[in-house]
Amino acid sequence: MALVIHKDSSNKQMDSSKYVRYTPEQVEALERVYAECPKPSSLRRQQLIRECPILSNIEPKQIKVWFQNRRCREKQRKESSRLQSVNRKLSAMNKLLMEENDRLQKQVSHLVYENGFMRQQLHNASGTTTDNSCESVVMSGQSQQQQNPNPQHPNKDVNNPAGLLAVAEETLAEFLSKATGTAVDWVQMIGMKPGPDSIGIVAVSRNCSGVAARACGLVSLEPTKVAEILKDRLSWYRDCRCLNVLSVIPTGNGGTIELIYMQTYAPTTLAAARDFWTMRYTTSLDDGSLVVCERSLSSSSGGPAGPPPSTFVRAEMLPSGYLIRACEGGGSIIHIVDHVDLDVWSVPEVLRPLYESSKILAQKMTISALRHIRQIAQETNGEIQCTGGRQPAVLRMFSQKLCRGFNDAINGFADDGWSPMGSDGVEDVTIVINSSANKFPGSQYNTSLYPSFGGGVMCAKASMLLQNVPPALLVRFLREHRSEWADYGVDAYSAASLKASPYAVPCARPGGFPSSQVILPLAPTVEHEEFLEVVRLEGLAFSPEDVALAGRDMYLLQLCSGVDENAVGACAQLVFAPIDESFADDAPLLTSGFRVIPLDQKTDEPTAARTLDLASTLEVGANAARSAGETDLSSYNLRSVLTIAFQFTFENHLQENVAAMARQYVRSVVGSVQRVAMAISPSRLSSNMGLKPLPGSPEALTLARWICRSYRIHVGADLLQADSQSGDAMLKQLWHHSDSIMCCSVKTNASAVFTFANQAGLDMLETTLVGLQDIMLDKILDEAGRKILCSEFPKIMQQGFANLPSGICVSSMGRPISYEQAVAWKVLNDDDSNHCLGFMFINWSFV
């Protein structure tokens, strides 16, 4: 009985301990420890009790419970804060959608009215045959269809502030009619769905003068901060070369008028760059909204004359700008309108779609502005974590320097010190040189790039038209398979420019010593439309005379953008510059790379089924059945312009040699890109073209039959299922076999080179059917694998096959691969002669 009473009393004591009230001093002591260590160990809690006498009357277990409750409250607080933030975003987005819905209803009403008016005019015209009535009908129709006429400003003295303010107020009214009204017929861009985490609502113009784009979205920044960021166009508009505010005039209503001269880069070498002379008006509306609107000044629109265009083509900015409104609970709702006339008639006809596309304008300006603001907002809120300990602002600066350096190379402005160099008689590659380091104040160029004993920077560039090649697909291939177009010797020469005593490489040998690349990500953007990364180039093999060049790894800072195939009108770009191991924040960057810009609209066909490994090339035989939902790829018609630019440093006494090297290299790269472009062109996947033979090989159907027949003869088992006896079915099963199946050439006194691989084989080697033929067997096997293959080779030739034990090999990208077993066998042709060696790597995986 005493034992029971003791147990009950102890339970009461434990129960009462659960409701201990803490004094403010005790809570303060516990909070201090929690700030240092939210989850202290048992020893740390006991130490806490010893060090703080005010906690001596609290049991260690109760201290543990307090910390558990404190962590739980912190987690609940963060979740509550997150949900409140999402709720605010949804409320603001709902308000934005309701406003957009009202605008669309007004637009529908306007169109219905226009439709009824035109029907009435046509009905009246059908009842009369007089010329005057017909002319009246035509003129009335034109007056209804014409949108955004350029307003005239007579009788305004634009040379005084009052006259400029009148023009500014008209610009404000026209801008607001585009941002929230029906002055422009807006059509929403495909894939731009609204939501709390979306970029916003993006639309492009239809049937208006020039090209225009409109966007509205939410950001978690205050309106004044948003306006400050958007007005700093150099920080987010990659095509902006310079923006000079020549005059600032305060207005009586608390706003400002600025006269601005802006120069923009040309996207290719085939057209001149554009410049703008504009007036920017910043003011507040009655409801507290902040507005920044802008338009070009000219004799027709009014305003003082601007700087002469010189080598630039003067473009016109029609009323554009930003409407920024504060949201309840913080943040801003932004409306952006970009409307320009780029003087399309001054460019070659083949490039005019580039200057007539509202979608390209939306990607380059409107969406870029929204993305930049969202990026800044997330960086400010600490939502973005960058690798390598770099601050987000520093990484953004590197991205801007890479793009700016590439644009400088493509345009080669004379006022930057660039001058053309004589050609070698063929005009496919343009060479320009720059020997004036002081011509790049504050830019990415640095005197360390110029040899102290005389020299400069040389740029070799070329542009070409591509047919039926998706830009995103091509750039993604160039990024992932550098070894298929780059020359390690040229990379080594570029890297040497970073050394204090650069060595000279007067020429590059085509197909120089091989290398592998390892991509180290630095900072993907919020929507992963752009990747900043460091590429480590590892030399794998080199001759004694190349030891000076390849005795170390080399590094490139690389920026890849536009690799989303669903981004309509997006420019795909891959630019890079050599860096040294220190990778200092002020490192000079000499940018080279590729830019692919679509010229025509994309078709609506799905592109998700296309892969870099050309898998479907082998699936479309003459009688191959179409997969469900696949469209006719022969109708895929896309033109794009590819621009290539490579920069090198040179010494004066080696200028001609470096120029010859640069020409040879750019022509080699162009040839490689053309070969790749032909291979990945969707038009090649059309069933009308049939199955293409592999170079130096029999037809794929015949090769598949030889592989399976030889495996059955030598190994005594079927490689594929017994029901796949027909040629098409056999090829399809072989292609989709889960194990990696490859073929290698067998030639005397020559290295074994891969000639065929199925889908799993290409995935394992991380290559394509095009690049496969540049990979040698002994380069993917490790030392143990090479020894085993050499010891088993006589057995393979005598018995016809051999089972190889588990081992390690490497892909073309240098990644290690493990496999449980491998089988090697002789592949015989119809005459029972040796055609090649077959290999099957079973249950392989990346290590």
Side-chain angles (χ1 to χ4, degrees):
M1 193 67 181
L3 288 174
V4 174
I5 293 174
H6 183 267
K7 183 177 181 180
D8 290 342
S9 63
S10 65
N11 285 339
K12 290 180 181 179
Q13 290 176 2
M14 290 185 65
D15 290 341
S16 64
S17 69
K18 295 180 181 178
Y19 304 100
V20 172
R21 290 185 177 274
Y22 297 90
T23 65
E25 293 78 10
Q26 289 174 330
V27 172
E28 183 181 355
L30 292 172
E31 287 287 355
R32 283 198 303 268
V33 177
Y34 180 84
E36 299 174 359
C37 179
K39 194 173 182 180
S41 64
S42 176
L43 293 176
R44 180 70 181 91
R45 292 194 299 270
Q46 293 176 6
Q47 180 185 1
L48 173 63
I49 294 174
R50 291 194 301 268
E51 293 177 352
C52 299
I54 58 176
L55 300 176
S56 58
N57 63 332
I58 303 177
E59 297 180 3
K61 183 177 180 181
Q62 187 59 38
I63 296 289
K64 178 180 180 181
V65 171
W66 185 92
F67 276 98
Q68 289 175 345
N69 292 339
R70 181 66 177 82
R71 290 194 299 271
C72 184
R73 289 196 304 272
E74 181 71 16
K75 184 177 180 180
Q76 290 175 343
R77 185 189 64 79
K78 291 181 178 178
E79 181 64 13
S80 176
S81 176
R82 186 188 68 83
L83 292 176
Q84 289 176 4
S85 175
V86 172
N87 184 62
R88 287 195 298 269
K89 287 182 179 179
L90 290 173
S91 299
M93 181 59 72
N94 182 61
K95 179 180 179 181
L96 194 61
L97 291 175
M98 291 176 64
E99 292 176 354
E100 183 70 5
N101 185 56
D102 291 341
R103 190 193 64 81
L104 290 174
Q105 288 180 350
K106 292 178 183 177
Q107 186 172 348
V108 168
S109 300
H110 182 69
L111 293 174
V112 169
Y113 171 78
E114 279 193 344
N115 186 49
F117 180 81
M118 292 299 297
R119 285 178 179 272
Q120 183 65 35
Q121 292 294 323
L122 291 173
H123 176 73
N124 294 339
S126 63
T128 179
T129 59
T130 62
D131 292 339
N132 292 338
S133 61
C134 291
E135 183 178 355
S136 174
V137 171
V138 174
M139 293 305 294
S140 63
Q142 287 178 347
S143 64
Q144 290 296 320
Q145 291 177 355
Q146 183 181 9
Q147 298 193 38
N148 303 318
N150 293 330
Q152 303 296 318
H153 303 271
N155 303 324
K156 284 191 176 72
D157 185 5
V158 294
N159 293 315
N160 64 59
L164 276 177
L165 181 59
V167 176
E169 290 293 341
E170 289 186 3
T171 303
L172 172 62
E174 291 183 48
F175 159 68
L176 292 176
S177 69
K178 298 175 185 179
T180 60
T182 58
V184 173
D185 185 6
W186 297 114
V187 179
Q188 186 168 327
M189 283 185 69
I190 298 174
M192 295 298 175
K193 297 181 180 180
D197 296 320
S198 70
I199 185 67
I201 305 171
V202 183
V204 293
S205 62
R206 182 178 61 183
N207 299 330
C208 76
S209 59
V211 290
R214 171 184 176 272
C216 48
L218 307 172
V219 292
S220 55
L221 292 174
E222 296 304 312
T224 53
K225 181 64 175 177
V226 173
E228 177 186 341
I229 294 172
L230 290 174
K231 291 172 74 171
D232 183 16
R233 198 171 282 144
L234 271 172
S235 67
W236 56 265
Y237 183 30
R238 297 283 173 79
D239 282 355
C240 182
R241 184 192 182 210
C242 67
L243 189 148
N244 298 323
V245 179
L246 302 184
S247 179
V248 179
I249 305 169
T251 61
N253 57 8
T256 58
I257 294 175
E258 300 166 287
L259 301 183
I260 296 174
Y261 177 64
M262 181 177 70
Q263 294 178 347
T264 61
Y265 292 105
T268 75
T269 63
L270 304 176
R274 266 53 181 167
D275 66 352
F276 295 85
W277 169 240
T278 63
M279 177 198 65
R280 185 166 66 190
Y281 181 37
T282 304
T283 187
S284 297
L285 303 182
D286 293 338
D287 61 359
S289 300
L290 189 59
V291 178
V292 181
C293 57
E294 190 172 358
R295 77 171 314 142
S296 284
L297 296 176
S298 64
S299 57
S300 60
S301 63
S310 62
T311 59
F312 291 80
V313 174
R314 180 61 50 87
E316 181 182 6
M317 180 181 295
L318 288 84
S320 307
Y322 319 110
L323 170 62
I324 310 165
R325 292 180 293 172
C327 290
E328 296 181 6
S332 304
I333 297 177
I334 313 171
H335 291 75
I336 301 177
V337 172
D338 292 306
H339 193 175
V340 296
D341 185 343
L342 299 174
D343 190 8
V344 65
W345 301 109
S346 65
V347 300
E349 184 175 358
V350 70
L351 290 182
R352 286 177 188 171
L354 176 60
Y355 293 80
E356 295 174 324
S357 172
S358 295
K359 293 170 183 169
I360 292 179
L361 175 72
Q363 292 286 352
K364 295 174 71 172
M365 286 193 71
T366 317
I367 297 176
S368 292
L370 265 185
R371 281 175 173 159
H372 182 72
I373 297 171
R374 290 191 68 202
Q375 183 84 13
I376 297 293
Q378 296 202 11
E379 291 174 4
T380 304
N381 298 334
E383 300 176 26
I384 296 180
Q385 300 295 328
C386 298
T387 59
R390 302 275 180 171
Q391 292 297 320
V394 175
L395 296 176
R396 277 203 320 275
M397 177 265 296
F398 278 125
S399 299
Q400 292 165 4
K401 286 169 67 175
L402 284 171
C403 288
R404 188 171 180 83
F406 190 63
N407 279 324
D408 280 335
I410 289 176
N411 286 262
F413 292 115
D415 59 353
D416 279 339
W418 292 100
S419 59
M421 189 175 176
S423 70
D424 60 351
V426 183
E427 301 296 336
D428 57 336
V429 178
T430 301
I431 302 285
V432 292
I433 60 174
N434 192 322
S435 300
S436 304
N438 57 357
K439 293 295 183 180
F440 302 94
S443 71
Q444 77 284 354
Y445 291 94
N446 186 289
T447 54
S448 65
L449 290 176
Y450 293 81
S452 58
F453 37 85
V457 173
M458 178 180 297
C459 177
K461 52 190 177 181
S463 292
M464 56 186 290
L465 193 66
L466 299 177
Q467 192 79 17
N468 297 334
V469 182
L473 195 64
L474 177 59
V475 167
R476 197 161 69 239
F477 184 95
L478 296 174
R479 171 180 177 262
E480 297 173 358
H481 301 274
R482 182 181 179 87
S483 61
E484 297 199 10
W485 57 265
D487 187 287
Y488 188 85
V490 176
D491 288 334
Y493 176 75
S494 298
S497 63
L498 303 175
K499 301 301 175 183
S501 300
Y503 44 77
V505 182
C507 64
R509 297 183 305 282
F513 29 88
S515 67
S516 64
Q517 69 170 1
V518 178
I519 296 178
L520 310 171
L522 279 180
T525 49
V526 174
E527 298 183 359
H528 298 276
E529 81 283 352
E530 188 173 270
F531 302 91
L532 181 66
E533 53 204 10
V534 171
V535 180
R536 186 173 74 238
L537 302 178
E538 303 171 324
L540 299 182
F542 25 79
S543 59
E545 61 270 19
D546 294 326
V547 171
L549 301 181
R552 65 189 184 284
D553 292 344
M554 293 178 296
Y555 297 88
L556 301 174
L557 183 63
Q558 181 168 277
L559 183 69
C560 182
S561 58
V563 292
D564 180 8
E565 288 189 64
N566 297 317
V568 180
C571 159
Q573 183 172 274
L574 180 71
V575 294
F576 43 86
I579 57 175
D580 59 16
E581 295 84 348
S582 65
F583 189 20
D585 291 352
D586 59 350
L589 300 180
L590 201 60
T591 313
S592 303
F594 307 86
R595 175 180 291 160
V596 191
I597 310 176
L599 292 177
D600 296 335
Q601 293 184 357
K602 294 184 178 181
T603 63
D604 293 331
E605 61 155 325
T607 58
R610 288 203 307 275
T611 59
L612 290 177
D613 48 43
L614 314 183
S616 48
T617 302
L618 291 181
E619 293 182 0
V620 285
N623 301 317
R626 295 266 178 158
S627 61
E630 184 181 359
T631 59
D632 184 7
L633 292 174
S634 63
S635 64
Y636 189 93
N637 183 21
L638 172 70
R639 293 183 304 161
S640 54
V641 57
L642 166 68
T643 300
I644 302 173
F646 284 87
Q647 297 191 76
F648 309 95
T649 58
F650 67 91
E651 303 163 15
N652 283 338
H653 66 285
L654 290 174
Q655 177 176 321
E656 293 297 332
N657 290 339
V658 175
M661 175 205 73
R663 286 193 184 94
Q664 176 190 355
Y665 184 54
V666 170
R667 286 167 181 161
S668 172
V669 171
V670 167
S672 299
V673 171
Q674 288 176 327
R675 180 168 61 93
V676 169
M678 290 180 62
I680 66 178
S681 171
S683 62
R684 290 198 58 186
L685 309 183
S686 170
S687 60
N688 297 330
M689 298 182 64
L691 185 66
K692 294 295 182 182
L694 297 174
S697 302
E699 294 284 348
L701 294 174
T702 303
L703 178 60
R705 180 169 56 82
W706 289 353
I707 292 172
C708 298
R709 171 176 167 270
S710 301
Y711 187 88
R712 184 170 58 251
I713 292 174
H714 298 308
V715 181
D718 286 326
L719 181 62
L720 306 175
Q721 296 179 3
D723 58 352
S724 60
Q725 298 301 320
S726 66
D728 288 347
M730 180 183 296
L731 175 59
K732 183 167 289 189
Q733 268 206 40
L734 180 69
W735 180 255
H736 291 293
H737 198 286
S738 59
D739 293 322
S740 171
I741 300 174
M742 311 175 191
C743 290
C744 280
S745 62
V746 182
K747 297 180 181 179
T748 306
N749 298 327
S751 299
V753 177
F754 287 106
T755 58
F756 170 81
N758 67 348
Q759 174 68 71
L762 295 176
D763 290 342
M764 188 182 97
L765 295 179
E766 294 187 288
T767 188
T768 66
L769 287 175
V770 177
L772 180 69
Q773 299 165 51
D774 296 327
I775 301 176
M776 293 180 286
L777 175 63
D778 60 340
K779 296 300 181 184
I780 73 161
L781 298 175
D782 62 359
E783 185 177 355
R786 287 193 291 268
K787 289 181 179 179
I788 293 174
L789 181 60
C790 289
S791 63
E792 295 289 336
F793 189 76
K795 180 180 177 181
I796 297 173
M797 300 309 295
Q798 182 179 0
Q799 298 183 6
F801 85 103
N803 291 315
L804 307 178
S806 61
I808 299 290
C809 59
V810 295
S811 72
S812 63
M813 304 287 286
R815 285 210 286 173
I817 304 162
S818 66
Y819 54 91
E820 291 184 4
Q821 185 186 357
V823 180
W825 71 97
K826 289 192 299 183
V827 176
L828 307 177
N829 60 20
D830 290 330
D831 298 329
D832 289 335
S833 300
N834 295 333
H835 175 71
C836 64
L837 277 182
F839 288 88
M840 181 166 62
F841 294 89
I842 301 171
N843 292 336
W844 64 271
S845 62
F846 290 108
V847 178

